[in-house]
């Protein structure tokens, strides 16, 4: 496609401001880029962190980093994906040259262009009608009718998957399932606990089922989320209250003294400390939830060291998108990864601020913008 297009997009002018739906000009893809017509975009808690100013980002910026769509045009030199491919979008594009990328740990890349919210050449394809540039969140900006993205971010997946489910592969599913199966490499027969049952936490539950965990204990404040987790494979549920000690006791009781692996999927000091406190000798806490900047948690050092306990940080579930995204899609199509169960509300682009309000109240699992 050689001509410029116009698209509706959710734009954040500055942290703390409500998103505005604007009509933007979208330039055609340059070499190494593709144009994707969005089919669906998840509304992730990371988007809320940016919207509310917990994570400062420059503006104006088109939001969204969890999406799926159809490739409509490709720039010069692009061999994959091809026009017509269904793709899930990866929000972390590796630079390819840093120490982590050279070692094959692309999920660690500290200088990814995604963190600059620009294309690989340092520019953006979005413009306001007057010509002012608008950044693209994580270089993929899924809260737009279409976007030009680096070809490396557009991962072809098998046909036939519900676009809303395909969108979630790009963030919450890769983050949660990967935390269990890749970061922690949970072995068959292990005991697992998951604290926090949003889209990422429930993906951890599905990952624990795939891994063959013998016991999966889930903790949340919302009974409906606990029930959904049970339907997805959890064996025990703990309704959390304002007394961490009661949740801790329940976790230990359900797992003969503590789970082998605890996945914290909220990003709160209290739940991070609960995850670490629940560990038995030799146990591992995997921190998946993202906190606002500057937040600290604490634990008693002596029993941690004396018991050979571990803490792992898991960014993006150690995702290797060209390998993992098609695999997660095939598992979903085979019925072994019921991603569609995470989608509890389908909304329009104009409903995103209401979706953020609902998220602040802790309601629902995953809201998905459907285009």
């Amino acid at each position: 496609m050689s001509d410029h297009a116009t698209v509706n997009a959710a734009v954040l002018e500055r942290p703390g401001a409500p998103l505005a739906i604007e009509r933007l000009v979208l330039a055609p893809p340059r070499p190494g880029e593709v144009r994707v017509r969005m089919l669906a975009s998840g509304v992730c808690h990371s988007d809320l962190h940016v919207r509310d100013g917990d994570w400062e980002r420059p503006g104006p910026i088109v939001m969204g980093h969890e999406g799926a769509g159809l490739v409509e045009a490709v720039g010069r030199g692009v061999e994959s994906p091809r026009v017509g491919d269904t793709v899930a979008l990866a929000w972390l594009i590796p630079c390819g040259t840093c120490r982590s990328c050279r070692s094959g740990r692309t999920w660690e890349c500290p200088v990814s262009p995604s963190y600059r919210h620009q294309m690989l050449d340092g520019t953006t394809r979005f413009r306001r009608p007057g010509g002012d540039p608008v950044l693209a969140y994580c270089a993929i900006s899924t809260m737009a009718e279409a976007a030009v993205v680096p070809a490396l971010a557009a991962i072809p997946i098998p046909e036939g998957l519900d676009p809303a489910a395909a969108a979630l592969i790009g963030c919450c599913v890769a983050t949660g399932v990967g935390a269990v199966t890749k970061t922690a490499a949970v072995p068959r027969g292990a005991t697992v606990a998951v604290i926090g049952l949003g889209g990422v936490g429930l993906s951890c539950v599905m990952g624990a089922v795939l891994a063959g965990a013998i016991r999966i204990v889930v903790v949340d404040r919302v009974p409906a989320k606990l029930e959904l987790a049970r339907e997805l494979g959890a064996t025990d549920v703990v309704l959390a209250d304002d007394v961490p000690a009661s949740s801790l006791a329940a976790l230990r009781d359900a797992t003969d003294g503590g789970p082998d692996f605890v996945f914290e999927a909220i990003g709160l000091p209290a739940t991070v400390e609960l995850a670490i406190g629940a560990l038995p000798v030799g146990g591992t806490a995997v921190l998946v939830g993202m906190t606002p900047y500057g937040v600290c948690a604490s634990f008693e050092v002596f029993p941690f060291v004396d018991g050979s306990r571990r803490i792992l940080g898991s960014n993006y579930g150690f995702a290797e998108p060209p390998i993992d995204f098609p695999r997660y899609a095939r598992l979903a199509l085979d019925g072994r990864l019921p991603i569609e169960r995470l989608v509890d509300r389908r909304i329009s682009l104009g409903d995103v601020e209401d979706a953020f309000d609902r998220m602040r109240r802790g309601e629902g699992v995953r809201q998905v913008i459907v285009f």
Side-chain angles (χ1 to χ4, degrees), residues 89-108:
L89 295 170
W91 63 258
L92 196 156
I93 297 110
C95 75
T97 59
C98 71
R99 180 170 67 181
S100 294
C101 288
R102 293 197 310 271
S103 300
R105 301 187 303 274
T106 55
W107 58 86
E108 294 177 357

Side-chain angles (χ1 to χ4, degrees), residues 9-14 19-20 24 50 57-64 114 116-118 126 128 133-139 141:
V11 178
L12 180 69
E13 187 68 31
R14 63 185 183 280
L19 269 62
L24 300 178
V50 175
R57 298 289 187 269
I61 186 169
V62 178
M63 291 301 298
S114 302
R116 299 192 299 272
H117 315 291
Q118 298 170 328
F126 287 114
R128 283 177 165 151
V134 179
L135 296 172
Y137 188 49
C138 291
S141 53

Side-chain angles (χ1 to χ4, degrees), residues 63-77:
M63 291 301 298
H65 66 283
E66 183 179 69
L70 291 172
V71 176
E72 290 190 321
V74 301
R76 182 166 50 83

Side-chain angles (χ1 to χ4, degrees), residues 19 39 42 46 70 84 87 112 132 137 144 148 161 178 186 195 210 226 247-248 271 328 352 355:
L19 269 62
L39 298 176
S46 294
L70 291 172
V87 294
S112 165
D132 292 337
Y137 188 49
V148 170
L161 193 61
V186 169
I195 302 172
L210 284 175
L226 294 171
S247 296
L248 181 59
T271 48
Y328 295 147
V352 66

